[in-house]
Amino acid sequence: MAFGAPLSSTDTMPIVSPGFTGRRQSPDVQLPPGQYLAEDFPVLTAGPTPRVTTDRWQFTINTEAGQRYDWSWQQLIELPAEKITTDIHCVTKWSKLGTRWKGVSLDVLLEDVETAADFALVQSYGGYTTNLPLEDLIDGQAWIAYRYDGDELTPEHGGPARLLVPHLYFWKSAKWVRGIQLLLEDEPGFWESAGYHDYGDPWREQRYQGD
Amino acid sequence: MARAAVSGRLTWRVAELAEATDITKSARGLVFDVPGWPGHLPGQHVDVRLTAEDGYSVQRSYSISSAPDGERFELSVQRVADGEVSPYLCDVLSPGDRIELRGPVGGWFVWRSADQAPVTLVAGGSGIAPLMAMIRTRAAEGSRVPFRLIYSVRTPEDVYYADELRRRAREDAGLDVHLVYTRQAPEGSPEPPKRLGLATLNTHGWPADFAPNVFVCGPTGFVETVSDIFVALGHDPRRVRTERFG
Ligand SMILES: Cc1cc2nc3c(=O)[nH]c(=O)nc-3n(C[C@H](O)[C@H](O)[C@H](O)COP(=O)(O)OP(=O)(O)OC[C@H]3O[C@@H](n4cnc5c(N)ncnc54)[C@H](O)[C@@H]3O)c2cc1C
């Protein structure tokens, strides 16, 4: 990787567009760099929306040692759930504040899982995957969410259940989640293989590989 | 091409507007010159950043609508009423003005000319932009991969690149173009205005048996509906690639 900035780089001196004022948000709204506030809930998906019924739904955690833990839909919704109100940030630049979810903390699901893994590859119905460090899934940072804004989670937004990891860009919050493979070494997921960042911290604007 | 070092692709670059033309009454074609541009694959987009005098800045994504052409490419921007960025790009930015952008971005919603599978393209409104890049690249490379475009617009006045599409449908062997009007059909049209549905996609797209590559681009609701229909028609969901404009 070459670190010398090309001559045309503008990283030091932004170009000002005369006459451009923009539509500023009120100063008490804090958004990550490059994000804007969305009122609606846009959708980002690489393909058609998978339709998964809850009677076929299953959630599986596989460890690096080949151990397997799984939950049916009924088992999932019988686990202690939390209500989460959080801001979300999509890599396509919109942010949405104060979104309301209900789901099961990954701390609950991982409680009895024995592993030495540092990384997780999250897998979805439809074949999508996304990778993240295991430590970002624990300590009250991540949930398997199955309700949004007081209703069942719709298929467009990842229903019946999606991962919710709101401190990272929202593609990490895998829709139609079906399981987690725990890994000793990081392995890029679907979007990450297509050029998106392996970690994806919106506050450090880690949109693409190399950011 | 498009394999530039990651650090190069993601640098903010200076882009100078070379030409601006009306594509429709509410959309502008903006041709930029970008020194050091690494080239793109058809389907990829750029991120544009505008900065106000006090340092406030915003970013938006725009698909490239041209075929690769050295350090020059075109964006096709629909003016969104009350929009923060698109009215500035359409109405204020003038040839000679400079803005910042970076890219090309996106490695999935991409047509690669080496892939011989037939291609079905479905566009809603401004969603034609990345598909136009594919159609133009196909012609520029002399590719014989069979292409079918199904393009949904409100009225005849909303067709992007209407003359060019008409010409290409005649001259680009192996390219079919089918327009669907949702609000108002052209005079003398055999069909009344209607929404794009299963029958049209089945008739004017490649059958699932041919294992085509399908690219669907436009507003979210449109993309949802169309891609659901392709799955219902038996297409492998992994071959149906989508780009949602928001
Ligand atoms: C990958 C990608 C590629 C894109 N490529 C193109 C392209 O080639 N050409 C193009 O014109 N746009 C494209 N877009 C959309 C573009 O990024 C902006 O969202 C759009 O120009 C509106 O920005 P704005 O600042 O003018 O409006 P905003 O200030 O963001 O929005 C103003 C209002 O319009 C609504 N709105 C936002 N976007 C749209 C839309 N697309 N249609 C209708 N209403 C909308 C908002 O919800 C809001 O209410 C692309 C988006 C993505 C994610």
Side-chain angles (χ1 to χ4, degrees):
Chain A
M1 219 195 291
F3 284 98
L7 284 175
S8 57
S9 160
T10 66
D11 279 348
T12 44
M13 224 178 36
I15 292 190
V16 168
S17 292
F20 174 72
T21 49
R23 193 180 48 224
R24 287 127 207 276
Q25 262 110 38
S26 85
D28 40 77
V29 179
Q30 266 272 5
L31 292 180
Q35 295 294 109
Y36 70 95
L37 205 55
E39 297 304 328
D40 51 355
F41 193 165
V43 174
L44 174 69
T45 308
T49 297
R51 312 279 155 175
V52 191
T53 53
T54 51
D55 55 321
R56 288 196 299 126
W57 190 91
Q58 195 178 40
F59 182 77
T60 308
I61 296 177
N62 283 300
T63 71
E64 75 286 1
Q67 254 178 311
R68 184 188 163 105
Y69 304 78
D70 40 36
W71 292 265
S72 68
W73 182 258
Q74 197 55 37
Q75 288 169 325
L76 178 85
I77 59 174
E78 282 170 5
L79 290 172
E82 293 172 20
K83 288 188 171 160
I84 310 107
T85 300
T86 185
D87 302 343
I88 56 180
H89 310 291
C90 179
V91 72
T92 62
K93 321 263 158 46
W94 56 267
S95 291
K96 201 168 165 58
L97 305 184
T99 58
R100 297 187 302 127
W101 306 82
K102 182 180 174 187
V104 177
S105 168
L106 259 293
D107 293 328
V108 173
L109 295 164
L110 287 164
E111 193 175 336
D112 298 324
V113 174
E114 279 182 39
T115 181
D118 285 327
F119 297 96
L121 187 67
V122 182
Q123 300 156 326
S124 297
Y125 291 96
Y128 298 106
T129 53
T130 189
N131 56 309
L132 65 178
L134 182 56
E135 64 176 20
D136 286 86
L137 289 177
I138 57 178
D139 292 335
Q141 299 185 91
W143 297 265
I144 300 298
Y146 52 83
R147 291 182 77 78
Y148 169 71
D149 212 15
D151 278 315
E152 282 172 15
L153 191 56
T154 59
E156 297 86 83
H157 292 304
R162 77 181 298 163
L163 183 66
L164 179 66
V165 208
H167 69 288
L168 300 178
Y169 278 125
F170 212 45
W171 89 80
K172 296 282 182 187
S173 293
K175 297 179 186 180
W176 318 295
V177 70
R178 71 174 170 82
I180 295 176
Q181 172 69 53
L182 298 173
L183 297 166
L184 298 173
E185 280 172 45
D186 204 4
E187 187 178 302
F190 175 86
W191 293 106
E192 294 79 7
S193 300
Y196 287 87
H197 200 278
D198 276 323
Y199 187 62
D201 178 352
W203 296 96
R204 288 186 278 163
E205 213 177 350
Q206 294 170 334
R207 296 180 195 275
Y208 311 120
Q209 299 284 351
D211 268 358
Chain B
M1 187 186 60
R3 282 199 175 269
V6 160
S7 57
R9 277 198 284 124
L10 296 164
T11 311
W12 289 100
R13 295 169 189 277
V14 179
E16 183 172 314
L17 186 65
E19 289 165 27
T21 48
D22 282 333
I23 302 175
T24 68
K25 275 189 189 153
S26 61
R28 292 277 275 176
L30 305 175
V31 176
F32 289 98
D33 284 323
V34 185
W37 180 248
H40 69 277
L41 292 166
Q44 289 186 304
H45 66 270
V46 294
D47 286 353
V48 168
R49 176 164 77 181
L50 296 182
T51 304
E53 273 167 39
D54 63 354
Y56 169 83
S57 84
V58 287
Q59 300 177 23
R60 294 287 187 278
S61 300
Y62 293 96
S63 301
I64 298 174
S65 52
S66 51
D69 176 21
E71 298 186 334
R72 174 168 276 216
F73 58 79
E74 181 186 10
L75 306 181
S76 316
V77 180
Q78 177 76 35
R79 189 184 293 107
V80 172
D82 314 328
E84 186 169 22
V85 171
S86 61
Y88 186 88
L89 295 178
C90 288
D91 303 330
V92 183
L93 198 70
S94 311
D97 288 352
R98 302 189 311 161
I99 58 167
E100 290 170 289
L101 52 78
R102 64 178 188 162
V105 181
W108 175 248
F109 193 82
V110 156
W111 177 64
R112 290 180 166 82
S113 53
D115 189 334
Q116 294 300 308
V119 171
T120 301
L121 307 173
V122 186
S126 58
I128 189 72
L131 309 185
M132 205 63 202
M134 297 178 192
I135 290 171
R136 288 167 163 174
T137 302
R138 174 183 182 277
E141 294 190 4
S143 160
R144 305 179 80 88
V145 170
F147 266 41
R148 286 181 168 178
L149 168 68
I150 302 166
Y151 185 10
S152 168
V153 288
R154 288 182 184 163
T155 76
E157 290 190 342
D158 297 314
V159 182
Y160 281 40
Y161 307 110
D163 292 341
E164 182 180 342
L165 283 173
R166 215 172 291 125
R167 175 178 63 76
R168 289 191 182 281
R170 271 198 322 269
E171 295 173 6
D172 292 10
L175 168 71
D176 294 333
V177 176
H178 182 75
L179 288 164
V180 176
Y181 302 93
T182 58
R183 300 255 172 100
Q184 181 207 323
E187 243 168 85
S189 161
E191 285 181 327
K194 57 161 196 228
R195 291 201 159 268
L196 188 52
L198 188 137
T200 305
L201 294 171
N202 201 21
T203 309
H204 296 281
W206 296 106
D209 289 353
F210 290 25
N213 289 316
V214 180
F215 296 90
V216 185
C217 183
T220 293
F222 174 86
V223 171
E224 281 292 312
T225 307
V226 170
S227 53
D228 283 353
I229 292 174
F230 278 116
V231 173
L233 285 170
H235 290 259
D236 179 348
R238 284 166 302 186
R239 298 190 80 100
V240 181
R241 296 171 195 227
T242 60
E243 187 87 284
R244 291 161 167 88
F245 275 8

